[in-house]
Amino acid sequence: MNFLKDRGLKKYTVIANDQIAPGVYLLKYNRDFSFVPGQVVAIALHSSDNPRMYSIASGMQDEHIRILYDVRPKGELTPPLSQAKPGDTIFASGPSGNFFGTAGPSTWIASGTGIAPFISMWRSGLRKDKILIHGGRFLHSFYFENEFKNELGDNFVRCCSQEKAEGIYHGRLTKWLLEQENLPPDRKYYLCGSAEMVVDTRDILIEKNIPYENILAEIYF
Amino acid sequence: MSRDLLFGKTLTELRSIVNDLGLPGFTAAQIADWLYKKDISSIDEMSNLSKNARIILNAHFDFGLTPSSKVQESIDGTKKYLFPAGKHKFIEAAYIPDETRKTLCVSSQVGCKMGCLFCMTGKQGFQANLSAGEIVNQVRSLPEKDDLTNVVYMGMGEPFDNLDEVLKSLEIFTSDWGYGWSPKRITVSTIGIIPAMKRFLDESQCHLAVSLHSPFEEERKKLMPVENVYSLPEVIQTIKNFDFGRQRRISFEYIMFKGINDSPRHVKELAKILNGIRCRINLIRFHPIPNTPLKSSDEKTMEEFMVALNAKGIRTTIRASRGEDIYAACGLLSTKELVKRNGGDF
C-alpha cells in the first residue's frame, strides 16, 4: 500500500533547517495551505518512509511552515532530516488534528519541543489571559522564549531541571505545579510533551481539583 | 553487546540470514520449522541442520526464548505472567481461561505513549517497543500455550504504534511456515492510529478492535489524547471504506464511565455513527486506577445500555471482568513500579 499517498503527502522545498539549540532544529519549508494553530503535519524524507507527525510551529499569517524537532539518535527520520539543506526536498502532509487553542483563559504547559503548538497559537494572536509553563533540561531548552517573555511577564514560567539561572525555576515543571496552592479550576489547561510528562502533569492537575474536562493533551508518538 | 535472536524472525528474514551466512537456501524453512513448530530451545537441537550450519548459526545468534519471571493467579483462574523485555524493562501478559476459550492478552510495547486517562499502562509512560520475537515469545513461553484458542493484542502498549513488529508477529502466528493459526483467532486492538490501521487492514486478515469510549469527539478528546490527532469521524470513515467481508470482524471497545458516556444520548449517537458497519460493541467495566476522577457505571446502567444498543441493531455484550484481584483486568497492566525499583529510566 502507498502509505504516503494515503496520508496525502506532497513534495516541499526546504527553505531553512537551522540548529537553534544543541540537537534541536527548526525546519522551514514553503507553505501552500492554511491551518489552525495546534494542528500537525506528517513529515518524511523519502517516498518510501513512514512519516512522523509534528506540530506546526508557525503562526497562521506566517509565510512558511516551521517544524521544531529534536534529533533522536536512533530515530529513522530526525538524524537524516537534520542534514537537510535549503533547496532539498521533503515530503509533508496537509494539516490535521484538532488540538485547538481558545481565546478564553488558558494555561499552556509544555516540555521541550512540546512548545510548538503554543508558539503557533501565540503567533496567531491567541495572547489574552494566557499562562505558559515550559519545562526543559537546560537553559537553552526554552525555544522561542524571547517571543513570549516580554508580553507574558510573570505568566511565563520556565522550569529548568539541570541548570540554574535567575528568574528561572530550578526543577521539573511537575515540581513547580505541585508547589502551587491555588491553580484556578475554571481555566483550560493544555498539555503538550512526552507521554510521561502528560500523564504526570494531568495527575497533578486532577489532584489539585482541576476538572479533567478542562485538561486537553497532545502527545508525541 | 547483545547478540541477535533467531526467534521472531520471519521466513523472509531467515532467507536473508542464511544467504548472508553462506548456508543453503532451504535451511531457512528448516529453521522456521524448528522455531515455530517444534518445542526446542537451542540451535543445537535443530537436528536436521548440518553440524556446520549449527556452528555458524551459534556463532551469530542466540535462540531467543525468554521464560516468564513471575506468575500471579487470580481467584477466577486468570493468570498474569511477567516477562523481562530488556534491561530494567518488563511486560505483562494475561492468560484468561473460560469454559470454551483460552485467551492470551499480549503486550506490544513496554509502557505506552497514548496517555489515555483511564489506563494504568499509560501512567508509566513509554519505555520501548517490543520486537516481533518478544511479542511471539509471550505465547511460546506460556505454560498453557497448547491450550490457547485466541490471542488478543490488548495488553500493554498501542499495537499500531509498533506496527512493523506487530505485523511480523502476526505473520509468524498465521503463516504456514509459522504457527499456522487462522487469523480469526487473533484480534488486534487500537485506539485509532489511522495510517497504521489502514496498513494493518490491507496486510493482515486478523480481527480489529477499536477503542471507542465515546461517540462524541469533544468527550473522547478528554479521555484519549489521540483524538486530537486522529479524530473519531476519520476513524469511522476509514472503517466504513474498508470491505471486511463476511469472516473478518470489527468490534468496538467501550469502557463505561458513570455519568460520562453511559446515557441514552450516547446510545443514540453510537447507533448513528456506527450505522452501516457490521460490528459488535463490547461494554467494559471501568477498573479504577490511582488518581482517577472516573467511576464505573453501575450494573443496571450497563445492562440498560446493552439492551438499548441491541434494540438498535448493534450486537452488544458486556465483557466479564477477569483477573481484577491481580491487576490483570482491562486497563490495569503496568510494570511502572517494577521498572522503577530496578533502576529503569523514569
Side-chain angles (χ1 to χ4, degrees):
Chain A
M1 117 171 200
N2 189 335
F3 204 60
L4 290 171
K5 204 172 172 184
D6 268 22
R7 293 299 298 158
L9 298 195
K10 287 173 57 179
K11 281 184 181 178
Y12 288 94
T13 303
V14 173
I15 307 288
N17 189 29
D18 300 324
Q19 186 168 202
I20 62 168
V24 178
Y25 289 75
L26 189 63
L27 171 73
K28 205 184 280 186
Y29 61 89
N30 58 310
R31 169 182 172 178
D32 61 359
F33 55 81
S34 56
F35 64 89
V36 180
Q39 286 196 300
V40 299
V41 288
I43 303 272
L45 262 182
H46 308 288
S47 57
S48 57
D49 296 345
N50 284 343
R52 307 289 301 180
M53 309 291 270
Y54 288 93
S55 291
I56 296 170
S58 310
M60 289 165 70
Q61 307 304 323
D62 289 344
E63 186 183 354
H64 301 119
I65 296 297
R66 303 192 311 174
I67 301 297
L68 179 68
Y69 66 95
D70 52 3
V71 176
R72 305 292 170 103
K74 290 182 183 172
E76 289 177 11
L77 173 64
T78 55
L81 183 62
S82 68
Q83 303 302 310
K85 302 279 186 295
D88 287 355
T89 295
I90 59 162
F91 294 83
S93 71
S96 64
N98 52 12
F99 185 64
F100 300 149
T102 171
S106 313
T107 298
W108 297 337
I109 305 175
S111 62
T113 55
I115 195 70
F118 303 125
I119 190 68
S120 178
M121 294 174 193
W122 182 253
R123 289 171 74 106
S124 301
L126 292 178
R127 296 189 171 206
K128 194 179 167 205
D129 205 355
K130 299 294 181 281
I131 297 171
L132 172 61
I133 302 156
H134 190 188
R137 295 178 70 193
F138 305 105
L139 294 172
H140 59 65
S141 304
F142 303 111
Y143 324 116
F144 315 119
E145 61 183 335
N146 290 335
E147 294 190 49
F148 291 117
K149 67 182 175 189
N150 284 343
E151 197 169 328
L152 280 173
D154 290 343
N155 284 338
F156 180 30
V157 180
R158 286 161 289 176
C159 304
C160 187
S161 59
Q162 304 285 316
E163 295 180 297
K164 290 181 180 177
E166 193 179 338
I168 293 181
Y169 178 83
H170 181 59
R172 292 184 174 196
L173 68 84
T174 45
K175 182 167 168 268
W176 183 88
L177 283 167
L178 280 167
E179 291 170 3
Q180 304 311 300
E181 296 289 340
N182 295 305
L183 291 174
D186 49 352
R187 301 174 69 85
K188 292 288 182 195
Y189 289 79
Y190 288 81
L191 322 182
C192 185
S194 66
E196 290 89 339
M197 174 271 190
V198 165
V199 295
D200 288 351
T201 301
R202 190 175 57 199
D203 278 357
I204 292 167
L205 294 175
I206 289 169
E207 266 180 42
K208 290 185 173 291
N209 298 316
I210 310 299
Y212 86 90
E213 299 95 315
N214 283 350
I215 305 170
L216 292 166
E218 175 99 307
I219 43 172
Y220 298 157
F221 65 91
Chain B
M1 192 175 151
S2 61
R3 284 150 47 90
D4 202 356
L5 309 175
L6 276 183
F7 192 79
K9 301 289 187 210
T10 63
L11 184 58
T12 304
E13 290 172 323
L14 291 171
R15 284 183 178 134
S16 173
I17 288 167
V18 301
N19 183 55
D20 291 348
L21 295 177
L23 299 172
F26 60 80
T27 313
Q30 290 178 311
I31 296 171
D33 198 61
W34 283 110
L35 289 173
Y36 306 122
K37 293 188 186 302
K38 297 190 170 66
D39 206 8
I40 65 163
S41 56
S42 73
I43 292 169
D44 289 333
E45 292 172 87
M46 297 179 177
S47 56
N48 62 352
L49 268 60
S50 69
K51 190 175 178 185
N52 186 48
R54 281 178 272 161
I55 290 170
I56 292 171
L57 284 171
N58 268 316
H60 292 85
F61 291 92
D62 286 334
F63 191 89
L65 291 182
T66 306
S68 66
S69 55
K70 186 180 173 186
V71 59
Q72 291 173 272
E73 185 163 3
S74 163
I75 51 171
D76 66 18
T78 298
K79 291 181 181 176
K80 186 170 74 172
Y81 287 91
L82 182 74
F83 290 97
K87 194 178 179 188
H88 305 314
K89 298 185 182 79
F90 304 88
I91 50 157
E92 293 177 330
Y95 171 67
I96 309 160
D98 69 17
E99 284 178 9
T100 55
R101 292 160 63 102
K102 318 280 185 210
T103 302
L104 185 70
C105 179
V106 297
S107 295
S108 55
Q109 296 179 313
V110 186
C112 183
K113 298 176 197 163
M114 300 300 136
C116 296
L117 182 63
F118 45 83
C119 178
M120 195 64 188
T121 306
K123 283 185 178 287
Q124 82 177 64
F126 172 76
Q127 283 79 53
N129 281 323
L130 296 188
S131 66
E134 288 171 316
I135 296 170
V136 179
N137 178 71
Q138 294 166 67
V139 169
R140 174 65 171 75
S141 295
L142 188 80
E144 298 86 354
K145 63 180 180 293
D146 294 333
D147 301 330
L148 283 179
T149 59
N150 298 82
V151 168
V152 294
Y153 285 62
M154 297 182 185
M156 296 170 64
E158 162 56 43
F160 289 175
D161 188 38
N162 184 21
L163 184 65
D164 287 341
E165 297 303 310
V166 165
L167 284 175
K168 273 198 265 180
S169 69
L170 295 174
E171 188 183 347
I172 292 167
F173 282 135
T174 60
S175 294
D176 289 343
W177 52 261
Y179 285 84
W181 290 0
S182 163
K184 310 299 175 285
R185 293 171 64 180
I186 301 172
T187 301
V188 181
S189 178
T190 180
I191 61 171
I193 298 177
I194 293 172
M197 188 169 78
K198 285 180 178 173
R199 195 174 147 208
F200 164 81
L201 289 172
D202 284 338
E203 296 183 16
S204 160
Q205 291 299 312
C206 297
H207 295 316
L208 176 69
V210 176
S211 296
L212 192 57
H213 310 319
S214 174
F216 298 107
E217 285 177 78
E218 285 305 308
E219 279 181 10
R220 194 171 185 261
K221 191 188 280 193
K222 288 156 189 168
L223 298 167
M224 305 167 71
V226 73
E227 179 68 28
N228 285 310
V229 182
Y230 299 114
S231 71
L232 187 57
E234 291 177 287
V235 173
I236 297 294
Q237 194 55 52
T238 302
I239 290 166
K240 284 183 174 173
N241 290 345
F242 190 82
D243 179 9
F244 280 82
R246 301 301 299 173
Q247 296 296 316
R248 199 170 189 186
R249 192 173 64 222
I250 169 79
S251 56
F252 293 94
E253 311 294 303
Y254 197 94
I255 301 176
M256 293 202 64
F257 303 109
K258 185 178 183 180
I260 290 172
N261 66 353
D262 58 358
S263 73
R265 186 174 67 95
H266 290 87
V267 171
K268 194 175 169 188
E269 187 68 11
L270 280 170
K272 185 177 154 192
I273 67 169
L274 299 181
N275 183 35
I277 304 176
R278 194 172 55 84
C279 64
R280 68 166 67 172
I281 295 180
N282 292 315
L283 302 180
I284 302 169
R285 287 173 192 82
F286 173 57
H287 303 106
I289 58 175
N291 300 322
T292 180
L294 305 169
K295 292 186 172 69
S296 182
S297 304
D298 58 40
E299 292 297 315
K300 182 169 175 285
T301 304
M302 289 185 72
E303 288 282 340
E304 288 171 355
F305 203 83
M306 178 184 72
V307 168
L309 282 169
N310 277 312
K312 288 194 177 288
I314 303 175
R315 189 178 164 203
T316 306
T317 54
I318 297 175
R319 183 185 291 167
S321 286
R322 299 290 304 273
E324 193 174 352
D325 56 326
I326 55 167
Y327 293 93
C330 180
L332 295 182
L333 297 181
S334 172
T335 55
K336 180 175 182 174
E337 292 308 314
L338 195 59
V339 174
K340 264 186 176 173
R341 276 205 302 276
N342 283 273
D345 183 22
F346 265 92

